[in-house]
Amino acid sequence: MLMQENVPLAPMTTLQVGGPARYFVQPNTIAEVSDAVNEASSRGWPLFVLGGGSNLVVADAGWPGMVLRVGIRGIEQRGENGKWLFDAGAGEEWDRFVAFAVERDCAGVECMSGIPGGVGGPPVQNVGAYGQEASETIENVQVLDLKDGQIRELRNPSCGFQYRTSIFNTSEKGRYIILRVTFALRTGGTPHVEYADLKKYFDGRTGVPSLLETREAVRQIRSRKAMLITPGDEDCRSAGSFFKNPVLTSNQYQDLQERAVGMKLEIPSYPALSAQHKVSAAWLVEHSGLAKGYTRGAVGISRKHALAIVNLGGATAADVVALKDEIQRGVSDSFGIELMPEPVFVGFE
Ligand SMILES: Cc1cc2nc3c(=O)[nH]c(=O)nc-3n(C[C@H](O)[C@H](O)[C@H](O)COP(=O)(O)OP(=O)(O)OC[C@H]3O[C@@H](n4cnc5c(N)ncnc54)[C@H](O)[C@@H]3O)c2cc1C
């Protein structure tokens, strides 16, 4: 396994900002992952595990220790107790896995078509899109436990999945390297067409769309919002949605409603959000005075999506952070709500 030094990280991320990794390795097997971890630990290097780099802001100073990009590939399908299980390597491309499942007429991940990154990323922040979440189909996650060097299988309930969180980005952050993920999918299942945008796409159509048609619909809807990585589309140079939809208490919601009335605004009500006491972060941003297409030096808000911070070319991580701060300030001043960033900040102390 080749260990490289001073490797630029920006090209390995979708936002394309940040400095180099002091040391960089890409292990392709479990044994190589263990070797790399032992090397980092014996030399006292801090370790960062990189996936597809689609949910990251890397600091301009880069990462002072070892960056380990899991390269374990392969997707296998097997039947067990009447279920179809899919084992996918953490280094496999997520959208390739979704395509693989859909082609085999298996339902459960079709609405998450087009999400960039690897298979190891979705369990970390329990990714979700268009009414589906990764946690609904994850059966178990195979990990290397950095506490004792053992390989473990974590069953779904042990992963603590909630909205954009799991034990991997909260209570046990930094403890596990995800090696492989097992998904349980429904063969011959119908697609999940519940989300407003998707329903609208299929408006007027008779009959239930197929899984393949649903996958194509999701990819087209995402492409219009620059949420599908498309070569040449500058609005894709982002980390996706930069902020989570805030989950409010009843008091906070009431306060928001009063402020909205004072501003002659009506808070949009989306069934998918209201059910979980969530408010659209995009709506908050757009009504705090910062619109799609807003620019601040080399960064801006996507012209197609109010929640995406875009690198307009040559931006630094400091530029991204400055715009993030400005957006958070705007929303806080207007609505008294603290927006929480969704991407992971790497190398910021
Ligand atoms: C255009 C665009 C659209 C997006 N759309 C969505 C969306 O619809 N829904 C959504 O939820 N997200 C979305 N995202 C965010 C992102 O794609 C997902 O969070 C994705 O799953 C991150 O995976 P990754 O492999 O790129 O991880 P990275 O960005 O490389 O890493 C993210 C975090 O996961 C950790 N990690 C990654 N792999 C492993 C591993 N093998 N073991 C342990 N830890 C690991 C990293 O250490 C880091 O903390 C979007 C991003 C972009 C750029």
Side-chain angles (χ1 to χ4, degrees):
M1 183 181 31
L2 177 71
M3 184 163 67
Q4 296 168 272
E5 293 192 43
N6 301 316
V7 176
L9 288 172
M12 294 188 215
T13 70
T14 50
L15 190 55
Q16 294 181 23
V17 300
R22 181 67 188 88
Y23 302 98
F24 178 85
V25 286
Q26 179 164 316
N28 297 322
T29 63
I30 294 179
E32 285 183 358
V33 172
S34 291
D35 288 349
V37 166
N38 291 339
E39 178 81 7
S41 126
S42 66
R43 293 179 183 258
W45 295 336
L47 183 68
F48 177 73
V49 183
L50 176 70
S54 63
N55 208 27
L56 302 181
V57 182
V58 176
D60 292 319
W63 181 254
M66 177 189 278
V67 169
L68 184 160
R69 183 161 68 180
V70 180
I72 299 172
R73 308 288 298 248
I75 307 173
E76 278 162 32
Q77 182 182 1
R78 62 195 158 95
E80 195 181 282
N81 301 330
K83 286 189 283 195
W84 277 113
L85 299 180
F86 289 75
D87 298 311
E92 198 55 71
E93 191 192 327
W94 168 258
D95 198 45
R96 199 178 93 79
F97 162 65
V98 176
F100 186 95
V102 165
E103 278 159 20
R104 281 152 187 83
D105 199 28
C106 285
V109 288
E110 64 282 355
C111 294
M112 292 181 283
S113 293
I115 296 181
V119 163
V124 176
Q125 74 146 0
N126 182 20
V127 300
Y130 300 98
Q132 279 180 340
E133 278 192 345
S135 59
E136 292 159 16
T137 48
I138 290 176
E139 189 84 350
N140 62 291
V141 180
Q142 186 187 52
V143 293
L144 171 67
D145 189 341
L146 297 179
K147 253 189 179 172
D148 56 11
Q150 295 298 304
I151 307 293
R152 301 193 193 290
E153 298 284 340
L154 303 181
R155 310 275 311 158
N156 179 308
S158 315
C159 298
F161 292 124
Q162 285 182 39
Y163 171 62
R164 298 296 173 272
T165 62
S166 70
I167 58 165
F168 306 113
N169 65 0
T170 56
S171 57
E172 303 294 351
K173 191 174 172 187
R175 174 170 170 184
Y176 297 114
I177 298 184
I178 296 170
L179 305 168
R180 209 176 289 280
V181 186
T182 303
F183 301 86
L185 303 181
R186 301 183 310 278
T187 178
T190 48
H192 184 86
V193 182
E194 296 300 326
Y195 207 83
D197 281 359
L198 256 184
K199 279 187 168 169
K200 195 166 152 212
Y201 184 95
F202 288 117
D203 230 12
R205 179 205 156 101
T206 47
V208 182
S210 68
L211 288 171
L212 196 58
E213 286 170 322
T214 306
R215 170 173 162 76
E216 274 317 307
V218 168
R219 287 177 58 90
Q220 279 192 33
I221 296 167
R222 295 185 71 95
S223 162
R224 285 184 217 138
K225 298 179 180 178
M227 284 289 128
L228 184 76
I229 302 285
T230 309
D233 183 348
E234 281 187 3
D235 284 293
C236 292
R237 221 181 286 131
S238 78
S241 295
F242 208 92
F243 299 100
K244 300 181 194 183
N245 290 321
V247 182
L248 304 183
T249 62
S250 324
N251 283 348
Q252 285 172 317
Y253 192 77
Q254 200 178 332
D255 178 56
L256 174 64
Q257 261 177 333
E258 282 163 17
R259 286 178 191 246
V261 168
M263 294 163 79
K264 300 196 172 22
L265 294 173
E266 200 177 323
I267 306 168
S269 163
Y270 303 112
L273 294 183
S274 323
Q276 298 164 65
H277 306 289
K278 276 192 257 166
V279 178
S280 160
W283 184 85
L284 293 170
V285 171
E286 288 197 287
H287 290 89
S288 67
L290 293 172
K292 286 179 196 154
Y294 172 77
T295 60
R296 180 189 169 119
V299 289
I301 297 179
S302 163
R303 290 165 296 183
K304 299 172 184 160
H305 197 297
L307 279 190
I309 291 183
V310 177
N311 174 354
L312 301 171
T316 62
D319 294 332
V320 172
V321 171
L323 179 54
K324 168 199 88 80
D325 290 346
E326 184 180 349
I327 295 171
Q328 282 176 314
R329 244 188 341 265
V331 169
S332 173
D333 290 350
S334 302
F335 299 108
I337 292 172
E338 181 75 14
L339 283 186
M340 299 307 290
E342 194 175 297
V344 177
F345 288 76
V346 183
F348 291 80
E349 273 314 317

